[in-house]
Amino acid sequence: MARRKRPATPVLVLLAGLVLIAGGAVGTLLLTSGGEGNSGGGSNVSGNVKEPTPASTSGLAGGPEPTVSLPASKYTPLLEEMPPEMEVNTSDTFTMNISTFAASYWFDTNARGEELSKQWRIIDGYQVYFDPIGRAAQVAQGGYYAAVEVYLFESPAGAKLAYDYLEDRMKARTGSQPAQARPLANQSAAFRFDGPTIGTTDIPSVYHRVIFRRGNAVVAVQTFGAKPYMSTDQARELAVLVDRKLLGEAPAVEPTPIPTPAIGVIGN
């Protein structure tokens, strides 16, 4: 893709879709394009295992619509803010670029991704992945994987367009179901997706995702864990932490830098 510079605020590249290591240890985060649907839920998932009832009620529903400052990375959770026995997956933690955003689960084609990134006026993006240190064994006992994406736009209006688009994509995803979660921020929604059994056990897994918009920021949080232990609570509490940083109610600190490729920009 040709890269051009322009004098105005650059539209930075964004996210490459959430994918965690698949196989015996964990499942893949199923974030592919809406409507097509990969395998991952289905026949090996027991219908007898119930998820805990969501109980998360913290955080502010509604309220201010700020235009927060860059970088997006400072609003993501730090490792010390996560549950014990977790580590950062450095290979999947990075600042976004236009190629990864256009090729992500958000869009059916790269061309569509580039078109909408200009329309929405994306200015920054960052994703961070957290893995349980014990992998499948820890997940089988209540641990979980988590991924957090933060996108910043030039204005709340652009963020609203992006949020509405993402919510529609999540609703259209084959196998995606609405999930119970208390509203958060200016707009929010929650979804769940049944996963395969955990490693060599017969314990079914589940993905939960909470998305929200606060001012000019759009945030997506996803968790993967064992169904008997997981509800939307884990994803929602991480979302609340990010929202508090966006509101200035919690310290917004940039994480330790991780080397990333040069960021390209695109014109109007």
Side-chain angles (χ1 to χ4, degrees):
M1 178 180 69
R3 294 178 177 177
R4 298 189 284 119
K5 292 185 178 180
R6 61 180 178 83
T9 305
V11 178
L12 299 187
V13 189
L14 299 180
L15 160 96
L18 298 175
V19 177
L20 294 183
I21 299 171
V26 298
T28 302
L29 287 179
L30 302 173
L31 303 178
T32 54
S33 300
E36 292 301 321
N38 293 351
S39 61
S43 60
N44 61 346
V45 178
S46 170
N48 297 324
V49 178
K50 303 297 184 183
E51 294 177 18
T53 301
S56 172
T57 59
S58 60
L60 176 65
E65 296 203 23
T67 299
V68 300
S69 61
L70 278 64
S73 60
K74 68 182 179 180
Y75 304 108
T76 58
L78 301 173
L79 180 59
E80 53 266 34
E81 296 171 320
M82 298 296 293
E85 301 300 315
M86 298 190 82
E87 61 186 5
V88 176
N89 181 330
T90 57
S91 63
D92 287 315
T93 297
F94 51 80
T95 300
M96 310 306 172
N97 62 53
I98 203 68
S99 298
T100 54
F101 179 54
S104 75
Y105 68 92
W106 280 59
F107 310 106
D108 292 325
T109 67
N110 289 17
R112 183 62 170 159
E114 293 177 18
E115 174 190 356
L116 290 177
S117 67
K118 297 180 203 179
Q119 178 182 333
W120 299 335
R121 307 303 302 162
I122 296 165
I123 57 174
D124 199 17
Y126 191 80
Q127 69 179 36
V128 57
Y129 284 38
F130 297 99
D131 297 347
I133 292 174
R135 301 299 191 269
Q138 190 172 333
V139 170
Q141 297 178 31
Y144 59 91
Y145 288 78
V148 179
E149 313 156 46
V150 177
Y151 307 97
L152 302 183
F153 301 83
E154 285 189 355
S155 70
K160 186 179 188 307
L161 291 173
Y163 173 86
D164 290 344
Y165 177 93
L166 178 58
E167 183 176 358
D168 286 344
R169 292 286 283 186
M170 294 298 99
K171 288 178 180 177
R173 169 69 169 90
T174 300
S176 179
Q177 306 168 32
Q180 180 182 344
R182 183 177 179 270
L184 179 68
N186 306 126
Q187 296 174 272
S188 66
F191 304 91
R192 64 176 305 285
F193 191 100
D194 285 328
T197 52
I198 303 294
T200 58
T201 75
D202 60 357
I203 303 171
S205 68
V206 64
Y207 304 89
H208 290 96
R209 166 169 277 223
V210 172
I211 60 175
F212 74 89
R213 180 183 68 84
R214 172 67 71 187
N216 70 320
V218 173
V219 178
V221 180
Q222 182 159 286
T223 60
F224 169 83
K227 196 172 182 180
Y229 304 106
M230 302 295 292
S231 69
T232 53
D233 282 354
Q234 291 84 354
R236 189 181 182 282
E237 285 300 313
L238 287 177
V240 169
L241 173 61
V242 175
D243 192 39
R244 293 186 66 233
K245 294 186 179 191
L246 291 167
L247 288 169
E249 296 176 354
V253 180
E254 290 186 59
T256 302
I258 297 173
T260 58
I263 299 299
V265 300
I266 60 178
N268 289 312

